[in-house]
Amino acid sequence: MAKGPVLIDLEMDEPAADVAKAPPVPDIAQPQGQAMQSAARLAARKPSALARWFWGLALAVVGAAISVAAWDFATSLVARTPVLGWIVTGLIAALVLVGLMIAIRELAALGRLSRVDGLRRAADTALADDDLAQACAVTNRIIAFYKGREDTRWGRERLTERMADQFDASALLELAEDELLAPLDQAASREVEAAARQVATVTALVPLALADVITALAASLRMIRRVAEIYGGRAGTLGGWRLTRSVFVHLVATGAVAVGDDLLEPVLGGSVLSKLSRRFGEGLVNGALSARVGVAAMEVCRPLPFSDRHKPSTRGIIKRALQGLFSKG
């Protein structure tokens, strides 16, 4: 059989496909840090007045029922077995005493957070008015606030010695930052970096549903609590939740939980989100957003507002926290 070219006739009534008119390939959705954004919305959400009334009344009813049941149990036990009844009564009294001590500690924690807020507002006023006398009063209050903490003793002594050499409010408050708050800023930054690494790692490596959201919220709560303790806030359970909510409300209101390629540029450089796998990209974004939460917590918990020279760099914290955590390949 002779071999040769084969001619294939094309039907002219079917037009050839035009590549230029083909629809574009859809872009793969970039990581958005859903875990941190969900945690931020959850923490910032304010319960309705009806929900507050419901939980308040429910707590009152349950507390009254438990109190009456405990009283009936103790009195009936005293009537039947006096020795055992008085022992149980003593245990109930001890439980009530411990509860009162916890309540007092919570009130003291709220009061300490209020002192921090008052110091920051007074410092803002002194700087706005350039009032040296008010700045001196704020500085003395800060020295008294940290009295008793051994880790601030050297800074307090240096600040006390050099206060008289300052002749304007901004210089005096910057001196307080240099001598007293700079070591605390470094410690708080390390806590923020550790929390960012934890959130990034769990998000990238644990594929369980809601695990990343729970981890992001828990790590943020712990980070904010530790930052408050470093600056002297000592937030209790109620105070810590109030502080956490104020931080997340600030972040949501200012749009600081928004995501862009520039968020991770200091870590990997360039348009990094399109070069990473979906899971690892989410891990990096969630870690970076955790760093933003930490910086906001530092601003809220610090007794003095940050000056331009001492203001923490969010990009720098993200770089130190996440650089080297994942390969650039």
Side-chain angles (χ1 to χ4, degrees), residues 265-291:
E265 185 178 351
V267 183
L268 301 179
S271 182
V272 297
L273 297 181
S274 61
K275 300 177 183 178
L276 296 173
S277 69
R278 177 72 182 179
R279 198 68 195 173
F280 282 80
E282 283 287 340
L284 284 173
V285 172
N286 284 327
L289 291 176
S290 296

Side-chain angles (χ1 to χ4, degrees), residues 40 43 109 130 136 169 185 190 268 290:
D130 195 17
C136 288
D185 294 338
R190 289 193 293 268
L268 301 179
S290 296

Side-chain angles (χ1 to χ4, degrees), residues 238-279:
L238 297 178
W241 181 251
R242 191 195 72 173
L243 187 62
T244 300
R245 187 177 176 278
S246 65
V247 170
F248 278 108
V249 165
H250 173 72
L251 287 173
V252 173
T254 57
V257 291
V259 176
D261 275 5
D262 60 329
L263 187 68
L264 297 178
E265 185 178 351
V267 183
L268 301 179
S271 182
V272 297
L273 297 181
S274 61
K275 300 177 183 178
L276 296 173
S277 69
R278 177 72 182 179
R279 198 68 195 173

Side-chain angles (χ1 to χ4, degrees), residues 200-247:
T201 303
V202 172
T203 302
L205 301 180
V206 179
L208 298 177
L210 295 180
D212 50 359
V213 178
I214 295 173
T215 300
L217 185 57
S220 297
L221 290 171
R222 184 170 57 252
M223 173 184 63
I224 293 173
R225 186 185 182 93
R226 282 291 303 131
V227 169
E229 291 175 352
I230 288 171
Y231 285 117
R234 298 177 188 173
T237 303
L238 297 178
W241 181 251
R242 191 195 72 173
L243 187 62
T244 300
R245 187 177 176 278
S246 65
V247 170

